[in-house]
Amino acid sequence: VDPRAFEGTIDAFLELVHPQDRDGFARDLRRCLMGEAGLEREHRIVRPDGSVGWVAVHGTVQYDEEGRALALRGVCQDITGQVSGEKALRRQAAMLDLLRGMAVAANESTGLEGALDAAVGALCADGGWRFGRGHVIGPDGPEPGARWLGTDIAPGSIDSPLADEVSPLVARVVVQREAIWVDEVLAGEVSPFEEATHGAGWSAFAFPVFADEQVVAVIEVYASSQLRPDRALIDATTQGAAQLGVAIERLRAREALAHQARHDVLTDLPNRSMLIERLRLALRHLDRTHSSLAVIFIDLDDFKLVNDGLGHEIGDRCLSILATRLQQAMRPDDLVARFGGDEFVLLCEDVSNDEAVANTAVRLLELISRPIELGDGAEIELEASLGIVIASDPSTPAENLIRDADAAMYRAKEKGGARYQIFDVALHERAARWLALAGGLRRAVDNNELRLEFQPQIRINDGAILGFEALVRWQHPEEGLLPPREFIAVAEQTRVINVIGDWVIQQACSQAAQWKAMRSSATDLRMCVNVSATQLNRPGLVDVVAAALSETDLPPAALCIEITESVIMSDPALALKALVELKELGILLAVDDFGTGYSSLAYLNRFPIDVIKIDKEFVSPLGQGNGKARSILRSVVDLSRALGAVPVPEGVETEEQLDDLRCLGCEVAQGFLLGMPQPAGELDHQLAGAESVC
């Protein structure tokens, strides 16, 4: 203000005061004139050039001798820069609060929609924006936000058919990949509330949220007044969106992990954990519905042949196609889960009767057996065994239903497969016995309940004992002496076979060492020990055998490990690796039950086999004038020798059979005729004075 052009009057000073601040200045001046207080005030002024500034006024009134006011004296200080700085700081603080609010709310959210809602709430709380919502960007573009949030308006009260659609503004943000500010909303241009916002002086603002450089969400907000673009707000929301994107990435990763924890990776079906959870929930509902549910356990028959013959990639494709078929065939509320490997479990709630479940099983068998196209005109047909259990008692443990359905499925397999079996009392008794045996087996070794019996292997020409096969028995505390067929299968399924197998190897080596000490000629006596599939596939088997040989001081050549043909051919590559490692110890290796599996001669030729034990099915027809049986056995004997292995026929029970074997050139045999399995103590006297030459 040019001092020469300024008339020093109150009215002239008031002319400089900003119109919106004049009433306040006049009020404070009256209080000063009345002697209530001095004039202390900050307000805006309008300079002659029209610019607005801020001043701080400090003044007092000068009176004459009679107490009349003569003049206002004081200082008017230009504080425009200070006020602007403070305003900027306050705005910056507000933006930081907004940024902090968006970040904290996003980080504390447990889901994607919750994180977007939290960001909208933080924006509306900042002031100016009345309501808004967040949109998730799906595979097909923006999806309408779950809900509208706001401060002083209920969006639901706005009657518009567009209120539940994605606004054009959101679509523009997705395409342009940047924030968009609209300070004057036009009809049909950006607003989902055309009638409410058009011509009403509304503003809109929307910005993208990025994750992995992709727009994963858009947030839009609306104000009921025209707001000019605010660079500070845009910058703050950009930073907030970046933090929101990190939170969304974390939430998505968490959701993906949660999904993976409850679903199968290959088929995306619910897994075993989710199945048990749903089954428990369904059982609780039985109390209210007074209905029944069915659990159907599906296991593909001989699916291992598909993986071994065609490869795991084809096997996985078959499982995926089958999973889709099962889902499409069942009711929407039924649960189809992959239990593991080639096993599926179906949970059917609210079943009417057993007949309806049986009809479902028949339909499933037909569905599974439909050819699966593999490409290039090739196709494969699968079959399955189904076990079914029907329950109406809410107190039944979910695990028991799975167990019973599994037991029924195994019964269906025992009957030949490609059929269904409904669980009944007999199966329950079988399952109960299985559980009882499983529980007892876990204690059998610790309780010293296992026994070994030894069956001799005899040289046919002179009856000399060449070795023994160690056979485990279980001295059950209630049922007496149980043969292997009563409990070995249970031991295999429960993995107790590893503990039992280790014990058998140790005890057999110890006994062989004792017999060797009894007589010098027993040096070549051979001890044969059976090893199961579970043991063979176990990485520590070689260490167990090596330790037993070392601890008993038994020569490696005195130990022969027997593996059945079916075990070897179930996974030839793995079996070859294990057998080579065992052979490196210096022990002998034998193929047991030869002729009962599906051996490949090319594979057998690669195995370091010393002995081939010919299954008793080849021996039984001998001695009855059966020329065909003798010809077959002669071929097996010749094959054994061609492979560089000693043939040892098993199951010799008659003199006629022994004579035929002698004529066929067999040198060693084993069977009840030549010696029954006996405890070691009953065999000591036979070895004490007899000579044995291998």
Side-chain angles (χ1 to χ4, degrees), residues 591-672:
V591 176
D592 197 10
D593 297 338
F594 183 77
T596 60
Y598 304 93
S599 291
S600 163
L601 295 181
Y603 265 116
L604 278 181
N605 190 45
R606 296 168 58 190
F607 292 135
I609 300 300
D610 302 290
V611 177
I612 289 182
K613 300 190 72 175
I614 302 172
D615 189 77
K616 65 179 181 180
E617 295 297 328
F618 292 94
V619 176
S620 296
L622 297 180
Q624 303 174 14
N626 190 329
K628 185 177 181 180
R630 290 188 62 183
S631 297
I632 293 174
L633 184 57
R634 183 185 297 278
S635 299
V636 176
V637 171
D638 291 343
L639 174 62
S640 301
R641 290 177 175 145
L643 293 172
V646 176
V648 178
E650 296 183 283
V652 180
E653 298 181 354
T654 67
E655 290 289 351
E656 292 77 13
Q657 292 171 348
L658 188 62
D659 289 340
D660 275 355
L661 292 174
R662 188 179 291 111
C663 293
L664 290 172
C666 293
E667 300 175 359
V668 186
Q670 180 178 339
F672 289 169

Side-chain angles (χ1 to χ4, degrees), residues 210-246:
F210 292 91
D212 290 332
E213 300 184 355
Q214 299 295 321
V215 179
V216 296
V218 173
I219 293 175
E220 61 176 335
V221 288
Y222 292 87
S224 56
S225 60
Q226 291 188 5
L227 303 177
R228 298 302 174 188
D230 186 337
R231 177 54 18 188
L233 178 62
I234 294 174
D235 291 343
T237 53
T238 300
Q239 296 180 53
Q243 296 193 39
L244 187 59
V246 173

Side-chain angles (χ1 to χ4, degrees), residues 302-315 318 374 380 569-572 603:
D302 300 322
F303 189 72
K304 192 175 187 306
L305 298 178
V306 176
N307 283 330
D308 292 346
L310 302 178
H312 287 275
E313 183 178 350
I314 295 296
C318 291
L374 303 178
I380 186 173
M569 298 313 300
S570 64
D571 193 337
Y603 265 116

Side-chain angles (χ1 to χ4, degrees), residues 103-338:
V104 171
N107 288 327
E108 291 179 350
S109 297
T110 57
L112 179 55
E113 291 181 354
L116 297 178
D117 288 351
V120 172
L123 271 169
C124 291
D126 178 62
W129 304 109
R130 296 183 65 183
F131 60 90
R133 65 175 172 175
H135 304 263
V136 176
I137 310 302
D140 300 322
E143 302 171 358
R147 61 186 65 82
W148 288 95
L149 299 174
T151 53
D152 57 349
I153 188 172
S157 65
I158 300 177
D159 185 15
S160 169
L162 299 177
D164 293 327
E165 297 181 3
V166 175
S167 69
L169 175 60
V170 172
R172 285 174 54 192
V173 170
V174 174
V175 173
Q176 296 178 212
R177 295 170 58 86
E178 62 182 5
I180 296 177
W181 188 297
V182 181
D183 52 11
E184 184 178 0
V185 173
L186 300 178
E189 186 178 49
V190 297
S191 174
F193 306 126
E194 290 185 355
E195 297 178 2
T197 58
H198 178 48
W202 285 64
S203 299
F205 174 51
F207 59 91
V209 177
F210 292 91
D212 290 332
E213 300 184 355
Q214 299 295 321
V215 179
V216 296
V218 173
I219 293 175
E220 61 176 335
V221 288
Y222 292 87
S224 56
S225 60
Q226 291 188 5
L227 303 177
R228 298 302 174 188
D230 186 337
R231 177 54 18 188
L233 178 62
I234 294 174
D235 291 343
T237 53
T238 300
Q239 296 180 53
Q243 296 193 39
L244 187 59
V246 173
I248 289 175
E249 287 182 328
R250 187 184 66 253
L251 289 170
R252 284 187 165 180
R254 186 186 304 163
E255 290 172 356
L257 288 174
H259 183 85
Q260 292 174 10
R262 294 159 54 85
H263 290 78
D264 173 59
V265 175
L266 174 65
T267 63
D268 203 38
L269 292 176
N271 60 13
R272 182 182 308 200
S273 174
M274 187 173 177
L275 168 68
I276 296 295
E277 181 182 322
R278 275 284 305 274
L279 182 52
R280 288 172 178 165
L281 182 62
L283 285 166
R284 288 198 294 270
H285 286 171
L286 292 180
D287 248 345
R288 298 198 304 270
T289 60
H290 302 291
S291 60
S292 299
L293 61 81
V295 175
I296 304 176
F297 201 109
I298 301 175
D299 185 273
L300 300 180
D301 295 334
D302 300 322
F303 189 72
K304 192 175 187 306
L305 298 178
V306 176
N307 283 330
D308 292 346
L310 302 178
H312 287 275
E313 183 178 350
I314 295 296
D316 288 349
R317 192 192 312 172
C318 291
L319 292 174
S320 296
I321 293 173
L322 182 58
T324 302
R325 286 184 184 179
L326 293 175
Q327 283 184 301
Q328 294 174 347
M330 303 305 291
R331 301 173 301 178
D333 292 336
D334 294 336
L335 180 72
V336 180
R338 186 183 181 198

